[in-house]
Amino acid sequence: MIIDVDCHNYWCSAEVLLPYMDPFFKDYFVRGERTGPKGAFPHAHRPWFHPEGFKRADIDPQSEAENYQIMKSKHLDKYNIDFAILTGDESLEASTLANPYYANALVKAYNDYQIEEWLPLDDRFVGSIIIAPQDPHLAAEEIRRLGHHPRMVQVLASHGASRPYGDPFYHPIFEACAEVGLPFAMHLGGQGGINSNPIGAGPTTFFWETHAILPQTAMTHVASMIAQGVFEKWPELYMVVIECGVAWVPSVMWRLDANYKALRKETPWLKKLPSEYCRDHIRFTTQPLERPANLQHLWSTLEAMDGKNTLMFASDYPHWDQDDVNALHIPPDWRDNVLGGNALQVYKRIQTIVDSKAA
């Protein structure tokens, strides 16, 4: 089984959201200022730009219908994808806005648009409840509003945020995730506006250098989720880290373990080593896997993070660095786990769909 845990469903214009917005925010959207031309999604922009654009050059839909038809032809059918978790695209950037009510209205409209216009297109599609985490109580309301939909399989936020996700400020989000039985996923993005600079020393100059070191933010969130005891408070919760690389995971866990052993009195609520919480509760996606000249160096690193059981396949369709499911540079005997088996452990709703089809 092949489960793609990061499949981006594009639109040609963010105006597709207008039918799903109440009159006040619809007026805000139509008449208000935004970054970009008519039809762009409102968000605060980052300090650097991709030199060509994020989509693959060969994917250029001219109508809303073509977004699905091209995805079906060039991805779902081509690679025999069994399930594709839709992760939206621009909608994640709502986290950059200072106005949390507008941000929440935007992601709420996207979620309804996704359910009404994307999920019915293909039985292989399952969805993500995108949230604007700058107001955790509004985010929790949105999780509870849609959290029992049988084809919504995760809660999704950008990895750009105003503070580390383990902070108790965000705990209403995890309480709602636990209540509806969904994992919390964090996707690369949201680098701008009210969110903290994703690069520790300050903004970088070029896209390629920025893209290479964006995992800094993911490291902070992972350490915070563990240290603040999120997984002790909600022991069934999974966290999914999407599109943030993986080779950093073992070294960060080694450092966290060493420092926790020496200074554990700071966090008496923790019952296990940080690396054990990571192994039990945090999953990482394959896109983008690092590419050393010596592949064995990568495999040794993946082994150190129990990659056979902690990695999940993500294509990142249709982005410029999309991964080919047939060209994943992982140990061959890991493929069944990484391509689908691990995802079935995390995404219980997908397992339920599989079971119902087999019945």
Side-chain angles (χ1 to χ4, degrees):
M1 176 170 290
I2 300 177
I3 300 173
D4 182 356
V5 305
D6 184 22
C7 185
H8 293 285
N9 47 314
Y10 267 65
W11 52 49
C12 295
S13 167
E15 291 183 349
V16 296
L17 302 183
L18 289 175
Y20 303 97
M21 303 180 77
D22 67 39
F24 175 81
F25 288 111
K26 184 183 294 186
D27 182 72
Y28 204 146
F29 184 99
V30 171
R31 296 166 57 86
E33 181 184 8
R34 73 191 70 191
T35 302
K38 185 177 186 293
F41 185 80
H43 63 89
H45 220 288
R46 48 194 178 268
W48 39 262
F49 293 91
H50 195 299
E52 295 188 8
F54 287 94
K55 280 191 300 185
R56 283 167 36 187
D58 64 327
I59 296 177
D60 188 26
Q62 299 300 305
S63 69
E64 296 302 336
E66 284 186 356
N67 279 296
Y68 166 63
Q69 293 299 331
I70 293 173
M71 180 197 289
K72 183 177 186 297
S73 171
K74 294 197 172 189
H75 183 54
L76 301 175
D77 292 348
K78 180 177 181 179
Y79 297 112
N80 297 312
I81 304 296
D82 292 286
F83 289 96
I85 301 179
L86 301 178
T87 50
D89 192 64
E90 287 184 300
S91 48
L92 281 169
E93 302 297 315
S95 71
T96 64
L97 298 176
N99 183 334
Y101 309 107
Y102 189 28
N104 188 66
L106 289 168
V107 297
K108 183 177 179 180
Y110 166 77
N111 291 331
D112 288 341
Y113 155 79
Q114 174 190 203
I115 289 171
E116 293 295 323
E117 300 191 33
W118 273 92
L119 294 187
L121 292 175
D122 202 303
D123 288 342
R124 292 170 288 190
F125 287 153
V126 288
S128 305
I129 302 171
I130 293 184
I131 59 170
Q134 56 267 57
D135 187 322
H137 295 285
L138 288 177
E141 285 181 15
E142 182 66 0
I143 293 166
R144 292 187 174 99
R145 184 177 76 93
L146 298 176
H148 295 289
H149 190 291
R151 289 175 66 188
M152 300 299 272
V153 302
Q154 70 180 357
V155 172
L156 183 61
S158 71
H159 99 315
S162 60
R163 61 184 83 186
Y165 276 135
D167 192 302
F169 173 78
Y170 293 115
H171 285 192
I173 292 172
F174 309 129
E175 181 177 40
C177 288
E179 183 179 310
V180 301
L182 294 179
F184 171 75
M186 175 186 78
H187 191 292
L188 187 84
Q191 295 100 30
I194 63 170
N195 291 336
S196 300
N197 194 301
I199 309 301
T204 39
T205 303
F206 307 108
F207 175 77
W208 68 263
E209 64 168 325
T210 307
H211 189 262
I213 57 178
L214 283 176
Q216 288 183 36
T217 306
M219 297 176 201
T220 302
H221 289 310
V222 165
S224 176
M225 291 284 283
I226 294 170
Q228 294 277 8
V230 170
F231 304 116
E232 280 294 331
K233 197 168 184 179
W234 293 284
E236 302 300 316
L237 183 69
Y238 277 107
M239 178 187 191
V240 181
V241 180
I242 304 175
E243 203 177 327
C244 294
V246 297
W248 54 269
V249 176
S251 61
V252 170
M253 288 305 127
W254 295 332
R255 293 180 65 87
L256 289 174
D257 280 358
N259 281 276
Y260 171 68
K261 289 174 183 177
L263 300 167
R264 67 178 67 204
K265 67 181 181 180
E266 278 193 292
T267 52
W269 47 84
L270 297 183
K271 305 297 191 293
K272 298 185 289 190
L273 290 174
S275 61
E276 293 175 317
Y277 286 109
C278 185
R279 182 196 63 211
D280 294 343
H281 295 276
I282 304 179
R283 298 295 178 263
F284 302 87
T285 64
T286 59
Q287 205 291 324
L289 273 184
E290 289 79 4
R291 294 178 175 270
N294 185 337
L295 185 59
Q296 190 57 52
H297 292 165
L298 173 65
W299 286 10
S300 296
T301 301
L302 298 181
E303 181 68 37
M305 59 178 285
D306 190 24
K308 184 176 183 179
N309 298 304
T310 60
L311 285 176
M312 301 189 298
F313 169 67
S315 71
D316 195 31
Y317 173 92
H319 288 170
W320 63 281
D321 54 347
Q322 174 187 343
D323 278 354
D324 182 333
V325 67
N326 298 316
L328 280 182
H329 42 293
I330 58 173
D333 63 338
W334 291 16
R335 287 185 67 84
D336 287 348
N337 278 33
V338 173
L339 291 182
N342 294 337
L344 289 177
Q345 296 292 319
V346 174
Y347 298 107
K348 307 298 186 184
R349 299 262 171 97
I350 297 180
Q351 183 65 67
T352 299
I353 295 170
V354 171
D355 292 343
S356 66
K357 288 181 177 180

